[in-house]
Amino acid sequence: MHLHLLSIGAVPAHLGGVTEFGDNVEDEWFIVYLLKRITCTFSDIAAAVYDNDGQFLLIEAAEHLPKWLDPDSSENRVFLYRGELHILPNRTRSGEVGWPRDSVPTVEQALEVLHSHTESCLVKQPICAALTKRLDGYPDKIQQNFHRAHCYVPAGIAVVLSRRPDLIAPAVSAFYLRDPVDLQACRTFHTFTPDTRVMASVKFTRCLYAQLQQQSFVPDRRSGFTLPVRSHPQYRAHELGMKLAHGFEILCSKSGQSASEKEASVSSNPLWRGFLDSLKKNGYFKGELEGSVRYKDLMTSAESFFRQSVTSTHRPAIQNPGQEMLKVLEDTSYSLEDLKNQEAHLPPEDSDAWLDITPQELERLLEERGGRGVSDGTCKTAKPDEELQEEEAGYSLIAVTQGMKNFINAMSSHEGAEIPSSCLAQPFSFDPDTVTSALDRLLGRKDDELDSDDFEDDDEKDDSDVDEDEGVQNCEQAGAEDLDNLRKYMDEMDQELQSTNIGRSFTQNNRTSNKADASKRSMADSGSELVEEEIQPIDVDLNLVSNLLESLASQAGLAGPASNLLQSLGIHIPPDADQS
């Protein structure tokens, strides 16, 4: 993944850059922390930052954003200014501060609004709190994200890392993203032979260490790398060194690739998509069909211009890590005996206990990332076992049923279902009479008419004016006939489903079941065949809870549709104590 520090286009004098942070998202937020400090120190500077996902600062505070703000309306609106996040407001009337959401301001226009109306552009406190929480721990977290470990590596690698410690990142990535073609170079080691191995202290980031440590890998027997038994006190150092050696050897094997092979495709460059979209928007292809000869010629010219102008100014700091490793080895002389003598003076390695987390810690982390840790913005602490038992004992399933009803009744749009705010922050409260009336209409109770707004409107008109002409009376009669036909249709469908597995799959409460049994016995004695009385209404809440609990039990503690839905509603179900 890539991180961009500016928007391309007509902008004032600026500094910008692109960072490839890979899987280490913490590097991305470290850059955000630096930008906040820079804009705080130099109060006239504004910074814009985005990545492959777009405005990731807004994604972090998505639950608190105004409704009008979306990816289409956020372009050139979001800035870090004076150490805080600022968003240009939506201007709905002439004279208001901001910019209309249906148009995109230029960077110069946006900066003019930002400088002249700073207070109006400052985001609200919940958004600031979300970003502050994400950056909590800096600058101390900078050192906490490093991990020092002992690795049993070939002497050449120890020398290279002593001169260029930054080359550890491409080496780990080469091993982590290896393919069968890469491993062909590791059948026999030519650059970093295993017979020169020494113990060295290597400094990783936590992400790089986890990528190296957590991958299982068995070296080729022809490589010469052998590992001691797992009970050996230095087994981990041997394993880490073996994996690092493979990464370094893979990079050195690719050092001879020509520049034309590396620049064969521009589609991998993060700036190419924006450049291509700009060409299409400005009519560069002149309406030519994609795939035509003229279109391909124009595309070839665009790619050539992109390589010459854009990629030349955004080349990575390490263009060919394999060549740089070989250059360090050529320019540095070392003694294997001196390196072995340094083994007794290595600094202690760090504990990697941070790799292991308990299920409770994982649950807490997921809740915090989901925005449901606590309502006041502080981290939720782990509860003692006694408090957890009390919480589970006092847990009410009413919250489950009401949470599902709130979710179903919430208004959503074509962009997807939205979690009602009451599910996350407010206690459950509802009118039992209203809920009962709604369920009765849904189940089609005999003494109530079926829910039809059109027919109710017709009835009200007839009651208010009985002298309407025959056309209105005919409409009323037709409406009544439609209601009768619909009711008969529903009754016949109920009777048909009653004898199927679908009908038997619903659970009825005890009172309803008892009444049904008594009714069946009385009908058997009198010889009556009133089939309608055999069809009893179901308990919607009971069936909802039963099906949810059954779905949760089938997940066996893993993620699934039921647990994901309940978690998104802020509903916590205690673990199933019955393992049978």
Side-chain angles (χ1 to χ4, degrees):
M1 298 184 70
H2 296 77
L3 181 72
H4 309 263
L5 301 182
L6 80 161
S7 300
I8 57 177
V11 296
H14 65 277
L15 297 175
V18 180
T19 300
E20 184 175 357
F21 57 89
D23 293 336
N24 194 2
V25 181
E26 203 59 47
D27 282 351
E28 182 180 37
W29 287 99
F30 171 55
I31 294 176
V32 174
Y33 168 75
L34 294 179
L35 292 176
K36 287 194 66 175
R37 296 297 302 169
I38 291 173
T39 57
C40 185
T41 303
F42 304 96
S43 58
D44 292 336
I45 292 180
V49 57
Y50 60 96
D51 64 4
N52 304 61
D53 297 325
Q55 296 285 358
F56 66 95
L57 298 181
L58 300 184
I59 297 175
E60 188 67 24
E63 295 182 358
H64 310 290
L65 297 179
K67 290 292 184 181
W68 62 266
L69 190 61
D70 54 35
D72 296 329
S73 61
S74 63
E75 186 175 354
N76 292 343
R77 282 182 178 269
V78 184
F79 297 93
L80 289 171
Y81 184 59
R82 296 181 180 176
E84 298 292 345
L85 182 66
H86 290 71
I87 300 176
L88 268 62
N90 178 28
R91 189 177 68 193
T92 57
R93 291 187 296 271
S94 178
E96 288 185 345
V97 176
W99 199 268
R101 62 166 298 183
D102 54 354
S103 64
V104 179
T106 64
V107 175
E108 191 170 1
Q109 291 171 332
L111 292 178
E112 182 180 353
V113 175
L114 180 65
H115 286 293
S116 57
H117 303 282
T118 302
E119 293 297 328
S120 300
C121 297
L122 182 64
V123 297
K124 295 182 179 180
Q125 195 278 332
I127 301 178
C128 287
L131 295 182
T132 301
K133 181 180 178 181
R134 185 62 181 83
L135 295 173
D136 184 43
Y138 284 101
D140 296 337
K141 189 183 287 187
I142 299 174
Q143 294 300 324
Q144 294 174 2
N145 282 330
F146 288 117
H147 183 89
R148 187 175 292 276
H150 291 172
C151 301
Y152 197 52
V153 294
I157 295 179
V159 172
V160 169
L161 291 180
S162 65
R163 302 291 190 276
R164 292 287 304 276
D166 57 318
L167 292 176
I168 187 67
V172 173
S173 297
F175 172 78
Y176 186 70
L177 302 175
R178 67 193 180 279
D179 56 31
V181 177
D182 294 334
L183 291 179
Q184 290 180 2
C186 300
R187 293 176 180 174
T188 303
F189 280 70
H190 300 287
T191 306
F192 304 103
T193 56
D195 55 351
T196 63
R197 283 179 291 178
V198 296
M199 191 67 69
S201 179
V202 180
K203 188 177 183 180
F204 302 87
T205 63
R206 284 191 170 185
C207 179
L208 293 175
Y209 178 79
Q211 289 177 335
L212 198 67
Q213 168 64 24
Q214 297 295 88
Q215 266 207 358
S216 299
F217 178 72
V218 178
D220 193 298
R221 284 180 290 183
R222 292 169 290 183
S223 66
F225 279 91
T226 57
L227 298 178
V229 294
R230 289 186 175 272
S231 58
H232 193 279
Q234 294 182 339
Y235 173 81
R236 179 168 297 178
H238 281 75
E239 184 184 35
L240 291 174
M242 176 268 297
K243 294 176 180 178
L244 268 183
H246 280 74
F248 275 85
E249 189 72 22
I250 290 172
L251 289 177
C252 289
S253 68
K254 295 181 177 181
S255 62
Q257 289 184 356
S258 63
S260 59
E261 291 177 351
K262 293 179 178 294
E263 297 181 357
S265 175
V266 298
S267 59
S268 59
N269 192 299
L271 299 178
W272 168 250
R273 182 177 295 275
F275 179 74
L276 183 60
D277 291 341
S278 178
L279 293 179
K280 292 180 179 179
K281 188 181 299 183
N282 294 319
Y284 170 77
F285 292 99
K286 303 176 182 179
E288 296 289 337
L289 293 177
E290 186 172 352
S292 63
V293 176
R294 178 60 178 162
Y295 184 93
K296 291 180 179 178
D297 292 340
L298 292 173
M299 179 64 75
T300 302
S301 300
E303 290 178 351
S304 176
F305 175 80
F306 183 83
R307 289 194 187 97
Q308 295 174 4
S309 59
V310 180
T311 58
S312 60
T313 60
H314 293 89
R315 288 181 178 176
I318 303 177
Q319 298 183 28
N320 193 324
Q323 286 184 353
E324 298 191 25
M325 293 174 187
L326 295 176
K327 188 174 185 305
V328 171
L329 291 176
E330 292 175 2
D331 298 342
T332 307
S333 60
Y334 62 92
S335 169
L336 183 60
E337 184 178 353
D338 292 341
L339 293 176
K340 287 185 176 294
N341 292 334
Q342 295 176 7
E343 294 181 357
H345 307 286
L346 295 179
E349 57 181 351
D350 300 330
S351 171
D352 60 358
W354 51 269
L355 283 173
D356 303 320
I357 59 174
T358 63
Q360 291 76 15
E361 292 174 340
L362 177 61
E363 185 72 21
R364 178 181 58 82
L365 291 173
L366 292 176
E367 288 183 357
E368 289 179 1
R369 295 299 300 145
R372 296 183 302 278
V374 281
S375 58
D376 59 357
T378 58
C379 295
K380 183 166 65 176
T381 57
K383 298 181 180 179
D385 294 339
E386 296 157 357
E387 291 186 15
L388 289 174
Q389 292 176 1
E390 291 178 3
E391 180 183 349
E392 294 175 7
Y395 184 79
S396 174
L397 292 177
I398 295 177
V400 178
T401 59
Q402 188 57 32
M404 288 292 297
K405 292 173 184 176
N406 289 345
F407 173 69
I408 293 174
N409 293 330
M411 295 296 294
S412 300
S413 65
H414 65 282
E415 295 182 353
E418 297 182 4
I419 304 300
S421 58
S422 59
C423 292
L424 302 177
Q426 301 176 1
F428 292 107
S429 61
F430 64 99
D431 184 3
D433 296 334
T434 303
V435 175
T436 303
S437 176
L439 291 176
D440 287 341
R441 290 197 306 270
L442 178 63
L443 296 174
R445 211 170 64 176
K446 300 301 180 182
D447 54 351
D448 291 336
E449 290 204 354
L450 295 177
D451 188 11
S452 176
D453 295 338
D454 296 336
F455 297 146
E456 289 176 359
D457 292 341
D458 290 341
D459 292 342
E460 292 176 0
K461 286 184 179 180
D462 294 337
D463 293 337
S464 62
D465 189 5
V466 295
D467 295 330
E468 291 290 335
D469 55 14
E470 293 182 358
V472 176
Q473 294 178 358
N474 292 336
C475 289
E476 179 185 2
Q477 294 175 359
E481 292 178 0
D482 290 340
L483 279 174
D484 292 337
N485 293 335
L486 182 58
R487 185 179 292 109
K488 291 178 181 178
Y489 177 77
M490 297 295 293
D491 291 343
E492 291 176 0
M493 187 166 58
D494 288 342
Q495 294 173 13
E496 183 177 351
L497 293 177
Q498 185 71 10
S499 59
T500 65
N501 292 332
I502 297 178
R504 298 190 187 99
S505 64
F506 293 101
T507 304
Q508 298 178 347
N509 55 32
N510 294 331
R511 184 176 59 182
T512 304
S513 300
N514 294 336
K515 286 184 178 180
D517 294 339
S519 176
K520 290 179 181 179
R521 287 196 298 269
S522 62
M523 286 189 296
D525 296 338
S526 60
S528 173
E529 296 183 358
L530 298 177
V531 182
E532 292 184 358
E533 293 183 6
E534 296 181 3
I535 303 177
Q536 301 296 331
I538 63 174
D539 190 327
V540 176
D541 291 350
L542 179 60
N543 282 274
L544 172 63
V545 173
S546 299
N547 291 333
L548 283 175
L549 293 179
E550 184 178 352
S551 178
L552 286 171
S554 65
Q555 293 175 198
L558 303 176
S563 60
N564 291 341
L565 178 59
L566 292 176
Q567 286 287 346
S568 65
L569 296 176
I571 299 173
H572 170 69
I573 298 292
D576 188 6
D578 185 8
Q579 301 298 330
S580 60

